[in-house]
Amino acid sequence: MNVAAAFEELMGSSPQGVWFAPGRVNLIGEHTDYNDGFVLPFALAQRAVVAASRRDDDLLVMHALDLGEVMELPMAQVRPGTGGWSAYLAGVVWALREAGHDVGAMTLAVTSDVPHGAGLSSSAALECAVMAAACDLFAIDISPLTRAKLCQRAENEYVGAPTGLLDQAASTLCARDHGMFLDCRSFEATMVPLPLTEAGFEILVLDTHTPHSHVDGEYGERRATCEAAAAALGVPALRDVQDLDAALKRLTDERMRKRVRHVVTENERTLATLTAAQQGRLEDIPPLLDASHASMRDDYEITVPTVDLAVETAREAGALGARMTGGGFGGCIIAWCRSGAGEAVGEAVARAFTEAGFDAPTWFIATPSEGAGRLA
Ligand code: GLA
């Protein structure tokens, strides 16, 4: 879609600019961000795009071009409680204002090709694209990390999903052909080369089309259990558990023990992935993906039958490693394949889904892409 042309048709004038922010795949480091741990996502070529202009009245006018819907909100009414898709846009304006930035009236027209509700951060892409637009239009000079944190605040307090920083940091900070290792305590980001094509690999992203939602209880329950476990162990966060065996001995609740084991081992796997990528040993990464999936399935208990079948079938069809990506309870898997082998893996999963009576999946080969920016 030509967003600038669509804007002009709606508004009778061309937009003052066009901005974008991508969806993301989390290569590894799942449910570690809110435990002050480590994540390693990369941004996708799929992105949200927003055409925007300042207005001289007092309205926030938001067009969802893909839905053909419009929502108008007086600036004074931009506060948590307005639901639906517009919350992802208005929430960013609210978070900027809460942080003391002078954001005025705007028209926003958004479109996105990030699959919705698939665990690929379609919501963070919208938030971070609007953030890029608002910062440019109102000359707000804040760092990319601060932008990501304000978008996270929009997601937490305006949309109402208690998520960590992973998605917004990836959408804002990532670089082309790189993964981003993020320490979610120090917020230090390390760009990690991912020369997949040169190394003879490709990453298949397969959407199981099993709907998931973070606003429902499971995500919040996992987060609360982790916080309770950290308190029981007397550490600020599960990131600080040094001796896993000793920690598991101290905890009596079996569910809590499993959650702790996932978080601690997932942090270790994420660090191992970082080291492998930094040393150019990409072939060492796929087994870590397999182990991550097993941990999410058995210890964190956030996978579902479609996702497990997709991962198993991908492995049988030749993927070198595979795991669910994102918050869980559905959404996408990633399968690390040799170059040219991904398509056949997708087809094998589709056949297995037909046999099992599941809805047909869709898939694409991922391209590690750059984070949010200005297009025009
Ligand atoms: C969702 C959240 C992230 C992160 C992942 C799980 O994507 O938005 O903050 O917690 O789940 O790793």
Side-chain angles (χ1 to χ4, degrees), residues 115-135:
H116 184 71
L120 299 178
S121 293
S122 56
S123 48
L126 284 175
E127 292 155 0
C128 295
V130 170
M131 177 61 75
C135 285

Side-chain angles (χ1 to χ4, degrees), residues 24 26 28-34 39 119-121 123-124 152 155-156 161-168 212 214 219 223 262 266 296 300 302 323 325-328:
R24 63 100 189 93
N26 194 18
I28 198 159
E30 218 67 86
H31 287 268
T32 45
D33 59 352
Y34 54 80
V39 294
L120 299 178
S121 293
S123 48
Q152 183 199 3
E155 177 92 28
N156 292 165
T163 52
L165 188 61
L166 164 63
D167 307 343
Q168 292 80 9
H212 81 135
H214 292 147
Y219 185 97
R223 189 170 179 152
H262 167 74
E266 185 76 352
M296 290 190 289
Y300 222 60
I302 52 171
R323 64 182 289 274
T325 186

Side-chain angles (χ1 to χ4, degrees), residues 12-371:
S13 60
S14 49
Q16 285 176 291
V18 180
W19 294 263
F20 78 95
R24 63 100 189 93
V25 142
N26 194 18
L27 183 60
I28 198 159
E30 218 67 86
H31 287 268
T32 45
D33 59 352
Y34 54 80
N35 289 299
D36 284 7
F38 310 119
V39 294
L40 210 169
F42 61 83
L44 291 167
Q46 287 82 349
R47 42 172 65 167
V49 179
V50 54
S53 287
R54 295 170 64 140
R55 301 175 59 92
D56 39 26
D57 58 11
D58 193 38
L59 290 176
L60 181 61
V61 179
M62 299 168 280
H63 291 272
L65 297 173
D66 305 325
L67 304 175
E69 289 179 17
V70 59
M71 171 93 184
E72 286 189 11
L73 217 50
M75 289 300 280
Q77 284 174 29
V78 176
R79 58 176 112 83
T82 55
W85 58 265
S86 66
Y88 299 105
L89 283 53
V92 172
V93 172
W94 172 82
L96 277 164
R97 290 187 136 194
E98 284 287 297
H101 300 294
D102 197 9
V103 188
M106 274 187 289
T107 301
L108 305 167
V110 298
T111 178
S112 174
D113 65 354
V114 183
H116 184 71
L120 299 178
S121 293
S122 56
S123 48
L126 284 175
E127 292 155 0
C128 295
V130 170
M131 177 61 75
C135 285
D136 274 5
L137 286 176
F138 293 95
I140 298 166
D141 187 16
I142 51 177
S143 72
L145 178 65
T146 303
R147 292 180 184 208
K149 286 182 175 175
L150 289 174
C151 287
Q152 183 199 3
R153 186 164 181 210
E155 177 92 28
N156 292 165
E157 295 181 42
Y158 202 105
V159 177
T163 52
L165 188 61
L166 164 63
D167 307 343
Q168 292 80 9
S171 186
T172 305
L173 299 170
C174 278
R176 183 188 295 263
D177 293 327
H178 285 70
M180 178 192 62
F181 175 85
L182 182 70
D183 179 327
C184 296
R185 171 168 284 163
S186 69
F187 300 116
E188 192 186 334
T190 308
M191 293 305 153
V192 189
L194 281 182
L196 295 170
T197 311
E198 291 88 322
F201 298 120
E202 62 188 23
I203 295 177
L204 176 83
V205 179
L206 181 137
D207 186 353
T208 64
H209 293 294
T210 313
H212 81 135
S213 166
H214 292 147
V215 194
D216 68 13
E218 294 282 3
Y219 185 97
E221 185 276 329
R222 294 302 183 285
R223 189 170 179 152
T225 302
C226 289
E227 281 161 14
L233 292 167
V235 290
L238 291 184
R239 149 56 169 293
D240 302 299
V241 173
Q242 302 291 345
D243 183 338
L244 178 59
D245 289 337
L248 295 180
K249 279 198 190 96
R250 281 181 60 189
L251 295 171
T252 49
D253 180 59
E254 178 57 12
R255 202 169 40 100
M256 209 177 250
R257 290 155 51 98
K258 287 167 119 183
R259 307 298 188 248
V260 169
R261 190 162 53 210
H262 167 74
V263 172
V264 173
T265 59
E266 185 76 352
N267 275 331
E268 289 168 2
R269 286 184 289 271
T270 307
L271 284 167
T273 303
L274 169 68
T275 306
Q278 284 180 327
Q279 296 179 351
R281 291 181 289 104
L282 292 187
E283 65 279 7
D284 288 356
I285 295 176
L288 295 162
L289 307 185
D290 287 339
S292 171
H293 188 79
S295 180
M296 290 190 289
R297 182 190 60 213
D298 302 336
D299 279 344
Y300 222 60
E301 298 178 291
I302 52 171
T303 69
V304 292
T306 47
V307 162
D308 289 333
L309 178 64
V311 163
E312 280 157 31
T313 310
R315 295 284 287 115
E316 284 160 19
L320 305 171
R323 64 182 289 274
M324 185 185 72
T325 186
F329 306 100
C332 286
I333 68 150
I334 53 172
W336 186 292
C337 302
R338 293 202 194 285
S339 288
E343 196 57 32
V345 169
E347 284 163 10
V349 176
R351 280 194 300 276
F353 271 36
T354 307
E355 275 165 34
F358 297 150
D359 289 347
T362 49
W363 61 86
F364 60 89
I365 305 294
T367 308
S369 301
E370 73 262 48

